[in-house]
Amino acid sequence: MKKQIGIRLLILTAMVCFLTIFTEHIQQTARLTHLLVKEDTKELLRQQKIPAEIYEKCCKYEKKSEYSRYAYLLGYLFMEKEEQSKSELEDYLNLLWKYQPSEMGELEQAEQAIWEDLTYFPVPLSVREETLTTSFENSWMFDREFGGNRGHEGTDLMASLNERGHYPIVSMTDGVVEKVGWLKLGGYRIGIRSPHGGYFYYAHLYDYAREFQEGDEIKAGELLGFMGDSGYGEKEGTVGMFAVHLHLGIYVKDGDEEYSVNPYWVLKWLEEKRLKYIY
């Protein structure tokens, strides 16, 4: 009898082990889906839903790891779990790099383009008046109608004082001026390409700090211009179509094309990294 019970226990234990291994295999296979289905992967990358505390954790993780913070960020995005231990992320990353090394390399570069060069929040604090503040919400892909139905590819930073030309706007990164001047949708805008490839787009400016030219080198924290309400008009100089604010967009290259990513989470992380200006 004891022998039979022992055999049954061994069989039961073996079955439990098999089911555990099989379940883990199914879960691991499912986790690869986002990389195998490129559009799903890109959508998660575009949403960029990374709270500030998660970014800080990933920065700490890379100090004693073969993986960079950008790899950890990808693991966090693709696992889609709010609570993930370092070991869970690394198990997942081992799997991704084993089966999808080239795809992971490209995605890690994209993540680096978004985060690596960030230095300052784009709107400095006022040392004269504490009531001069800005606010923003996660308005990613909200409906927009001017110029045709489209999704909002950015984040709007709204001014507590609705007065054009009052709030200074600074560059979030080092970089090079890639585009500058008037756009029907963006008004007076300037686009900065950062060293690791991210394109940072500042729109609806009232005016520029100086006469920027394409190819000009920019330092993080450099004054670009002043917040305004320009745009939404065929005629250059159109203003008054909406409240004073800064539209911030972030774009990443994908071969010969570019796609926008959600700046909201980047801005949340940068909130504590503000310069102080006299205004």
Side-chain angles (χ1 to χ4, degrees):
M1 180 65 72
K2 289 183 179 180
K3 186 175 181 180
Q4 290 179 340
I5 292 174
I7 292 172
R8 289 175 181 175
L9 284 174
L10 285 173
I11 294 172
L12 181 60
T13 301
M15 289 178 65
V16 169
C17 289
F18 173 78
L19 288 172
T20 301
I21 293 170
F22 181 72
T23 301
E24 289 179 353
H25 176 73
I26 294 297
Q27 290 174 340
Q28 289 176 340
T29 302
R31 288 173 183 174
L32 287 171
T33 300
H34 290 309
L35 288 181
L36 295 172
V37 183
K38 189 174 181 181
E39 290 307 311
D40 288 353
T41 305
K42 184 180 289 186
E43 185 57 30
L44 288 173
L45 191 71
R46 293 184 72 199
Q47 292 175 16
Q48 206 58 212
K49 190 176 180 180
I50 300 171
E53 61 272 18
I54 296 298
Y55 182 76
E56 294 294 342
K57 279 186 179 180
C58 291
C59 291
K60 292 177 182 177
Y61 290 164
E62 76 171 354
K63 292 180 180 179
K64 296 182 179 180
S65 171
E66 62 180 297
Y67 293 117
S68 71
R69 69 187 66 178
Y70 312 110
Y72 284 112
L73 292 176
L74 289 171
Y76 176 82
L77 287 173
F78 297 156
M79 288 180 75
E80 297 184 271
K81 287 174 57 181
E82 290 188 7
E83 295 295 330
Q84 301 166 11
S85 67
K86 185 171 183 284
S87 60
E88 281 183 303
L89 285 170
E90 289 177 351
D91 287 344
Y92 182 33
L93 290 174
N94 290 338
L95 182 71
L96 295 178
W97 277 102
K98 179 179 179 180
Y99 291 103
Q100 300 285 340
S102 60
E103 289 85 350
M104 279 298 291
E106 292 175 4
L107 291 168
E108 191 170 351
Q109 286 184 349
E111 198 72 356
Q112 187 176 22
I114 298 166
W115 290 90
E116 173 69 18
D117 302 310
L118 297 172
T119 307
Y120 297 116
F121 193 82
V123 186
L125 293 170
S126 171
V127 297
R128 284 183 175 171
E129 184 54 67
E130 292 183 358
T131 61
L132 294 176
T133 59
T134 55
S135 61
F136 59 96
E137 63 177 357
N138 191 358
S139 58
W140 173 247
M141 298 310 293
F142 279 18
D143 290 339
R144 293 291 187 269
E145 296 181 354
F146 184 84
N149 292 330
R150 56 194 170 84
H152 185 232
E153 293 187 344
T155 297
D156 291 335
L157 292 91
M158 309 305 297
S160 61
L161 176 66
N162 189 38
E163 181 178 314
R164 63 179 70 107
H166 199 78
Y167 289 78
I169 303 300
V170 301
S171 180
M172 299 160 65
T173 68
D174 289 346
V176 174
V177 175
E178 193 163 294
K179 297 290 182 181
V180 65
W182 180 262
L183 280 180
K184 180 176 71 173
L185 292 179
Y188 291 115
R189 68 36 167 125
I190 186 167
I192 311 294
R193 182 73 63 182
S194 72
H196 286 85
Y199 181 74
F200 294 81
Y201 170 79
Y202 309 81
H204 306 314
L205 299 178
Y206 171 66
D207 61 8
Y208 298 103
R210 60 182 174 89
E211 292 187 9
F212 291 103
Q213 302 293 324
E214 293 180 8
D216 285 352
E217 291 188 3
I218 300 294
K219 293 295 183 183
E222 182 173 342
L223 182 65
L224 299 176
F226 296 88
M227 190 184 293
D229 58 348
S230 62
Y232 278 29
E234 295 286 353
K235 183 180 178 181
E236 180 173 347
T238 298
V239 295
M241 302 298 290
F242 40 74
V244 170
H245 70 281
L246 171 69
H247 171 94
L248 175 71
I250 301 177
Y251 296 80
V252 175
K253 287 185 176 180
D254 181 20
D256 295 331
E257 299 180 355
E258 277 193 314
Y259 57 89
S260 59
V261 300
N262 188 354
Y264 175 80
W265 302 98
V266 164
L267 288 167
K268 292 297 288 183
W269 181 69
L270 284 172
E271 276 190 298
E272 302 302 319
K273 297 170 176 58
R274 299 194 190 208
L275 294 172
K276 293 183 179 180
Y277 270 45
I278 298 175
Y279 69 95

